Amino acid sequence: MIRCLAIDDEPLALQQLASYINKLSFLELTAQCQSAVQAREFLEQESVDAVFCDINMPDLNGMDFVKSLIVPPLVVFTTAYSEYAVEGFRVNAVDYLLKPFGFQEFQRAANRLKERYSSLLPQSPASSNEDILFLKSDYRIVKVSIPEIRYIEGMSEYLKVWIEGQPKPVITLLSMKKMEERLPGYFMRIHRSYIVNLNKIQEVNKNRIIMDANSYLPIGDLYKETFQAYLSNRFFK
């Protein structure tokens, strides 16, 4: 169930939005707000997975509201002004509904939201029989415990596999794509050169992931949206 917040300053539009959310079994309407200010106050007390948000509102418009959130949930914008579409996607909106829209259009946007949400859910950890990798490194075959991998660093055609408790990485001839396909769901690609074990993250500071005092990993622009959504789903206030 995807917990949703509906935001619109027009009562009839808000009522319609709420009714559409309630028609879909995978959406749960947690609250309705008639302003972005009210929505921000609500989010200081509660967390949601997604917001359906009007853009053109008094005091604080929907676009600025989303930009102001430290860890924004998934967003579907609703507005009567098509010129906001490009800017909406710049803030990583899942979709953009142009008013007036019917239930069919809403459902298409909701299905996109569901797909995005599902892609961010943690996968079940690999079974014990699948927790091991054997990597060729120089002239050796090295046994690696997958849960002990901290992060993987790409360098040209090789990978550095950094492992908990080991000062030096295992270096193997392998592509990032092949490694990414093999790893379980608690690993995430955060940069074209880095895959990180989400269970090993100590801190997130702006556009960097801190693994320890000596390991700072950048978050690439292409991967920022997915990682921020992962954080949003687990952010506790």
Side-chain angles (χ1 to χ4, degrees):
M1 190 77 78
I2 304 173
R3 289 168 47 84
C4 301
L5 174 62
I7 311 167
D8 201 306
D9 64 313
E10 300 175 9
L12 291 179
L14 184 61
Q15 183 180 353
Q16 181 194 53
L17 187 57
S19 69
Y20 285 171
I21 291 172
N22 287 327
K23 284 183 180 180
L24 296 178
S25 60
F26 57 86
L27 300 181
E28 177 188 355
L29 181 62
T30 58
Q32 304 175 48
C33 296
Q34 287 191 265
S35 73
V37 174
Q38 183 184 357
R40 189 158 60 185
E41 291 173 354
F42 173 81
L43 291 176
E44 288 175 355
Q45 304 297 324
E46 302 285 343
S47 63
V48 298
D49 303 312
V51 296
F52 290 85
C53 183
D54 187 24
I55 293 178
N56 192 30
M57 293 185 288
D59 298 326
L60 178 65
N61 71 45
M63 197 73 66
D64 291 337
F65 161 68
V66 171
K67 290 177 181 178
S68 73
L69 299 176
I70 297 174
V71 185
L74 299 175
V75 178
V76 175
F77 282 119
T78 65
T79 184
Y81 301 92
S82 59
E83 61 266 26
Y84 285 116
V86 173
E87 189 178 358
F89 287 113
R90 283 177 182 163
V91 295
N92 298 323
V94 175
D95 209 344
Y96 178 99
L97 286 167
L98 186 62
K99 296 179 180 179
F101 56 86
F103 179 68
Q104 187 174 8
E105 294 163 291
F106 174 85
Q107 189 170 27
R108 280 197 296 267
N111 285 335
R112 292 190 185 101
L113 177 67
K114 182 181 179 182
E115 289 174 8
R116 180 81 64 85
Y117 178 77
S118 297
S119 72
L120 300 173
L121 291 176
Q123 305 297 315
S124 299
S127 68
S128 58
N129 292 331
E130 298 176 340
D131 277 350
I132 300 299
L133 286 177
F134 287 93
L135 300 176
K136 186 175 181 181
S137 182
D138 294 327
Y139 301 102
R140 304 173 299 146
I141 302 294
V142 181
K143 179 183 176 182
V144 175
S145 171
I146 294 177
E148 295 304 308
I149 296 174
R150 297 172 62 239
Y151 63 93
I152 296 156
E153 180 181 358
M155 52 173 199
S156 187
E157 298 177 347
Y158 290 83
L159 298 179
K160 289 182 178 180
V161 182
W162 294 88
I163 300 168
E164 192 76 38
Q166 297 189 19
K168 294 183 178 180
V170 175
I171 300 177
T172 185
L173 179 62
L174 197 65
S175 70
M176 290 286 278
K177 186 175 186 299
K178 287 288 186 182
M179 179 61 83
E180 194 174 9
E181 290 172 351
R182 175 62 180 84
L183 293 171
Y186 53 89
F187 284 83
M188 182 180 289
R189 185 85 171 263
I190 59 161
H191 188 276
R192 62 184 180 85
S193 299
Y194 291 100
I195 299 171
V196 65
N197 184 339
L198 297 168
N199 297 328
K200 302 292 184 181
I201 294 174
Q202 289 190 5
E203 186 178 331
V204 179
N205 188 335
K206 296 182 179 178
N207 290 325
R208 298 187 304 174
I209 291 174
I210 300 173
M211 306 299 291
D212 57 42
N214 299 312
S215 303
Y216 296 76
L217 310 183
I219 303 171
D221 290 340
L222 292 177
Y223 306 91
K224 188 179 300 182
E225 175 185 358
T226 302
F227 184 70
Q228 286 181 339
Y230 165 82
L231 286 182
S232 177
N233 288 334
R234 291 153 188 81
F235 190 71
F236 183 77
K237 294 184 179 181

